[in-house]
Amino acid sequence: MKIEDPRVTDYALGELRAAACEEFEKELAQSEELQRELEETALLCGKLGALPLEEQGFEEETRMQLREECLRNVRIVRRERNFRRVAWAGALGALAACLLLAPLIPWTAVLSRSPMRDKQQRSADLQVVPQREESTPASKQGQASTSQLVAKSAPATAAVPPNEQGRGLTGLPAQTRLESTTVTSVPTAKAAAPGAPSAQPASAASHTSGKPIGVSMSGLGQGLGSGMASGSDKESRRFKRVTDEEFNTEAYDEIQENRFRDAKDNPLSTFSIDVDTASYSNVRRFLRSDQLPPSGAVRTEELINYFFYDYPDPEAGNPFSVNIEVNRAPWNLKHELVRVGLKGRSISVSERPSSNLVFLIDVSGSMRDEAKLPLLRRSLRALVDNLLPEDRVAIVVYAGSSGLVLPSTKGENKDRILKALDELEAGGSTNGAEGIRLAYQTARENFLRQGNNRVILCTDGDFNVGVTNQSELISLIEKERSSGVFLSVLGFGTGNLKDSTMEKLADKGNGNYSYIDSLTEGRKVLVEQMGSTLFTIAKDVKVQVEFNPALVAGYRLIGYENRLLAKEDFNDDKKDAGEIGAGHTVTALYEIVPAGQTLPDKPAVDPLKYQAPAVQRSLDELLTVKLRYKARDGDTSRLIESPVQAPTDKTFDQASKDFQFAAAVAAFGMKLRRSPDAGEISWEEIQRIARKNLGEDPGSYRAEFLTLVEKARQLGEAQSQRGDDIK
């Protein structure tokens, strides 16, 4: 039975105010019927947008916005200001649309610009590069010239101002009215389907070939509704966009899961904390695109740490609290689960130090998609709106070359900062190393000794000019971090996402890595969690757990595979480790095999003859957790030590809500990875555990998790019917 809720139409048209929108989204997460009606409404918007348009029926500003949006969808350019009637006939009418549009392409301008172009180059994507009326020399105020940077001629006026209008599916992207344009050919990679698995080995860091690629017509069938929907903060969370599927170069590292280790032979487990959350939002993007993610994209610890847990605040004088809980593992009730949770000290707005931020923005050709540079601009606008007057922002961009488009500017001049953001346009190849050097140089020149100094790198990670080797980029970041400038990495887009590179850059740059798949996620990372994202309170945080062999036969650390350290690294202050931000929570889970049980898949070893007998340890202590950390501006580590008592005989249902929810997320990650350690736990059981432990759930992130589990269940069942092994 159809619901016919009037809010569905308001939401789809972007007319639902923020408060009502949040309430509606909560109901949406719980109702499949509501979700189906919303999908039908969005489809109707697309069909309506595909109807023929008469120029005389629109105001001048609206007509220009529609004109630019239409041209973006088919990736061609025309000079005439007054555009003629264009008809979309749907996906099957793509050829007819191509014939209709062919006379409108300014081939004379293209050919006169480069008379020696061959046939293949003439078919390359064409991009509008607006010319400024007055060109500013590159030497003036250290800014790049317009010959180096691709930028709009005037700031865009948003159709739905951020933080004022409601959120929905059809927010029309802002456009700029162009008086004089130049047509240039820019080689670009064709977009891949959102969430499409990489066609290359997981460890490969692939790049585009640089050859010109013909004009893509596959988006013609979407109509205006799809183009308008792409301007909303909900497009990547709710619906799959129709794009080219010709190739995909996303790159993920292969992950070898931690195996059980014998507590007698290996009593110490050492690792660096991880505050990244990119894997969760990336997994969400795959699932919402009706695809199971590749195993390399699933980092279980990042799934767990995406959620906030209600740990107590640290005592006065300590940067964070240490919280430990032990109970049963829901996927194997014979085993125990240990949760180690850290909570960073929160800071109020009045305590917040001034910030010296440098936005390092990739404006190469690979960033032209709506889910990349346009979404990036909207996300950074949300951050700028929350700057304090004494904060400072500079903007460095890079494509084939890099440049300073906005010198360090006080937060009180928000209009100037937003204008610089709005003027950015994508085009060219990607010289990331040059941009990184300039960004750190800019941050050092405006360094605040008592403040927060940070570079925020915004990219898809597809570096293909200059220094492109991953290890060389990492070495560059390692050298720059000695300046005291921290790094945050924000990943965008699909098809060529270099997840492996971006995660390593954030790790080595004393920072964090987040993947932004929607404006909602951008606000979460840069506004709601601004303190934990931008303000570091402790660095080089390491954890070392010593297990008591009298009570523990073996253990395995769930996740953190690329954060493992040698036991000697724990006391080595030269060894780099992770950082904790203000108010941040970090959670690690250990699965323990109690003494007397056999370790899974581990053959027994004959008793040793020449080893001294083990010292009998107290039966009261299960393990001891030790942590080392440095102050954000310190070089010497401090030690915290917390012994853990042997657990009493409790059932899993008696554990705290946060413990149970974290266990459900861990099981979700293991099943997505098809881990043998997931046991027989079902998707339905994961949903049951999560549903009963949602708690207060600010932002409805836990409720959203339920929808992802359901989507994974459906996709898993479909694969099982095809003979695959995920259940």
Side-chain angles (χ1 to χ4, degrees), residues 287-546:
L287 293 176
R288 293 205 180 281
S289 299
D290 294 325
Q291 299 178 63
L292 289 168
S295 59
V298 184
R299 293 184 289 274
T300 308
E301 77 279 4
E302 294 187 24
L303 270 58
I304 297 170
N305 285 315
Y306 182 83
F307 300 95
F308 178 83
Y309 300 100
D310 190 20
Y311 300 136
D313 291 328
E315 297 178 356
N318 293 330
F320 49 81
S321 63
V322 181
N323 310 274
I324 304 169
E325 185 175 358
V326 184
N327 206 291
R328 299 292 181 183
W331 51 85
N332 188 337
L333 295 177
K334 294 181 179 179
H335 293 177
E336 292 167 345
L337 193 63
V338 178
R339 181 187 64 162
V340 179
L342 310 181
K343 168 71 179 296
R345 176 177 58 85
S346 300
I347 59 175
S348 63
V349 175
S350 60
E351 295 180 287
R352 205 177 86 186
S354 298
S355 292
N356 163 35
L357 305 177
V358 179
F359 297 161
L360 174 55
I361 300 176
D362 182 353
V363 294
S364 63
S366 67
M367 292 291 290
R368 283 183 294 200
D369 187 80
E370 282 293 334
K372 295 186 180 182
L373 186 58
L375 175 58
L376 183 161
R377 284 197 300 257
R378 295 196 296 272
S379 298
L380 290 182
R381 285 181 68 97
L383 171 59
V384 172
D385 286 340
N386 286 272
L387 290 175
L388 299 178
E390 59 270 21
D391 293 334
R392 305 190 69 89
V393 169
I395 300 178
V396 172
V397 300
Y398 65 95
S401 58
S402 63
L404 182 68
V405 299
L406 179 72
S408 189
T409 302
K410 285 190 175 182
E412 61 188 7
N413 298 317
K414 288 183 173 61
D415 289 344
R416 184 181 178 191
I417 299 172
L418 295 175
K419 179 177 182 294
L421 282 173
D422 288 338
E423 289 178 348
L424 300 179
E425 187 61 72
S429 53
T430 316
N431 190 341
E434 184 178 337
I436 290 171
R437 293 189 184 96
L438 180 57
Y440 273 94
Q441 175 186 333
T442 304
R444 289 194 302 270
E445 291 172 351
N446 298 278
F447 194 85
L448 301 176
R449 292 192 176 277
Q450 301 301 320
N452 168 47
N453 301 277
R454 184 173 295 266
V455 170
I456 302 178
L457 170 60
C458 307
T459 180
D460 56 18
D462 195 2
F463 306 131
N464 50 33
V465 172
V467 177
T468 61
N469 182 275
Q470 188 179 93
S471 61
E472 293 182 24
L473 287 167
I474 291 171
S475 297
L476 172 61
I477 290 292
E478 288 179 322
K479 293 177 182 177
E480 295 288 0
R481 77 178 179 210
S482 61
S483 64
V485 177
F486 291 72
L487 176 70
S488 287
V489 179
L490 304 181
F492 292 84
T494 66
N496 64 335
L497 183 71
K498 298 301 180 285
D499 175 85
S500 171
T501 299
M502 291 188 287
E503 186 205 10
K504 289 181 174 64
L505 293 182
D507 181 20
K508 299 303 180 182
N510 284 350
N512 41 59
Y513 167 38
S514 301
Y515 175 75
I516 309 299
D517 62 336
S518 65
L519 184 54
T520 298
E521 184 66 15
R523 287 172 175 154
K524 176 179 183 288
V525 171
L526 296 173
V527 179
E528 294 177 23
Q529 299 177 349
M530 187 175 185
S532 58
T533 302
L534 302 181
F535 301 99
T536 299
I537 60 172
K539 66 180 182 181
D540 293 339
V541 183
K542 309 170 193 173
V543 179
Q544 187 169 77
V545 180
E546 180 182 357

Side-chain angles (χ1 to χ4, degrees), residues 5-306:
D5 190 327
R7 294 176 300 168
V8 172
T9 304
D10 293 341
Y11 184 81
L13 294 175
E15 297 175 355
L16 208 58
R17 295 285 179 173
C21 182
E22 292 179 3
E23 183 64 29
F24 175 74
E25 288 173 355
K26 292 179 182 179
E27 297 180 28
L28 186 65
Q30 303 294 328
S31 173
E32 292 185 4
E33 292 185 59
L34 206 57
Q35 292 171 18
R36 283 195 294 270
E37 184 173 352
L38 179 59
E39 187 169 359
E40 292 173 2
T41 303
L43 181 60
L44 178 61
C45 289
K47 292 179 178 179
L48 291 175
L51 295 176
L53 302 178
E54 291 290 343
E55 179 181 354
Q56 289 80 3
F58 296 92
E59 296 294 332
E60 176 68 10
E61 180 179 353
T62 303
R63 183 164 64 252
M64 295 305 295
Q65 289 178 338
L66 292 173
R67 171 180 180 267
E68 292 300 318
E69 182 61 26
C70 295
L71 295 180
R72 180 194 305 276
N73 285 342
V74 296
R75 296 192 180 187
I76 61 174
V77 179
R78 48 178 292 223
R79 280 187 175 180
E80 292 85 350
R81 292 180 56 196
N82 298 319
F83 66 103
R84 304 172 187 174
R85 179 176 178 177
V86 179
W88 282 282
L92 296 179
L95 181 59
C98 184
L99 295 174
L100 287 172
L101 291 172
L104 306 182
I105 302 175
W107 297 110
T108 304
V110 176
L111 296 175
S112 63
R113 186 174 177 82
S114 289
M116 301 302 294
R117 290 185 183 277
D118 61 20
K119 181 178 180 180
Q120 182 185 31
Q121 288 174 319
R122 288 197 300 271
S123 67
D125 288 351
L126 302 178
Q127 179 176 344
V128 176
V129 184
Q131 294 180 330
R132 298 178 185 272
E133 295 182 2
E134 296 181 6
S135 179
T136 305
S139 58
K140 184 177 180 180
Q141 297 181 343
Q143 298 185 17
S145 67
T146 53
S147 63
Q148 295 173 302
L149 307 176
V150 185
K152 291 184 180 178
S153 61
T157 302
V160 182
N163 300 329
E164 294 180 9
Q165 299 296 326
R167 297 174 297 174
L169 292 168
T170 57
L172 187 66
Q175 301 293 337
T176 302
R177 181 174 178 177
L178 308 178
E179 298 297 336
S180 175
T181 62
T182 302
V183 181
T184 61
S185 177
V186 182
T188 56
K190 293 184 180 178
S198 175
Q200 302 195 20
S203 59
S206 307
H207 302 281
T208 56
S209 64
K211 295 181 179 180
I213 298 175
V215 176
S216 168
M217 306 300 292
S218 64
L220 282 172
Q222 299 177 75
L224 277 179
S226 176
M228 295 168 70
S230 65
S232 166
D233 63 319
K234 289 295 175 184
E235 74 275 16
S236 57
R237 294 183 58 184
R238 302 298 179 194
F239 298 100
K240 180 178 179 180
R241 296 172 57 212
V242 181
T243 51
D244 297 337
E245 299 187 42
E246 300 213 358
F247 65 84
N248 185 291
T249 62
E250 295 194 13
Y252 301 94
D253 279 339
E254 181 181 0
I255 299 175
Q256 297 291 337
E257 286 190 319
N258 295 324
R259 305 309 308 141
F260 282 96
R261 310 196 73 185
D262 190 304
K264 184 177 180 180
D265 298 335
N266 302 281
L268 295 176
S269 172
T270 310
F271 67 97
S272 162
I273 65 158
D274 183 7
V275 297
D276 296 343
T277 60
S279 181
Y280 182 87
S281 49
N282 195 24
V283 164
R284 178 175 62 202
R285 184 255 300 187
F286 275 100
L287 293 176
R288 293 205 180 281
S289 299
D290 294 325
Q291 299 178 63
L292 289 168
S295 59
V298 184
R299 293 184 289 274
T300 308
E301 77 279 4
E302 294 187 24
L303 270 58
I304 297 170
N305 285 315
Y306 182 83

Side-chain angles (χ1 to χ4, degrees), residues 617-647:
R617 298 298 302 272
S618 168
L619 294 180
D620 294 334
E621 292 183 6
L622 181 71
L623 52 88
T624 297
V625 177
K626 295 186 291 184
L627 293 102
R628 281 199 175 275
Y629 71 94
K630 299 174 186 174
R632 64 187 307 272
D633 55 353
D635 296 318
T636 303
S637 67
R638 303 173 187 176
L639 175 67
I640 297 177
E641 187 170 333
S642 300
V644 179
Q645 300 300 306

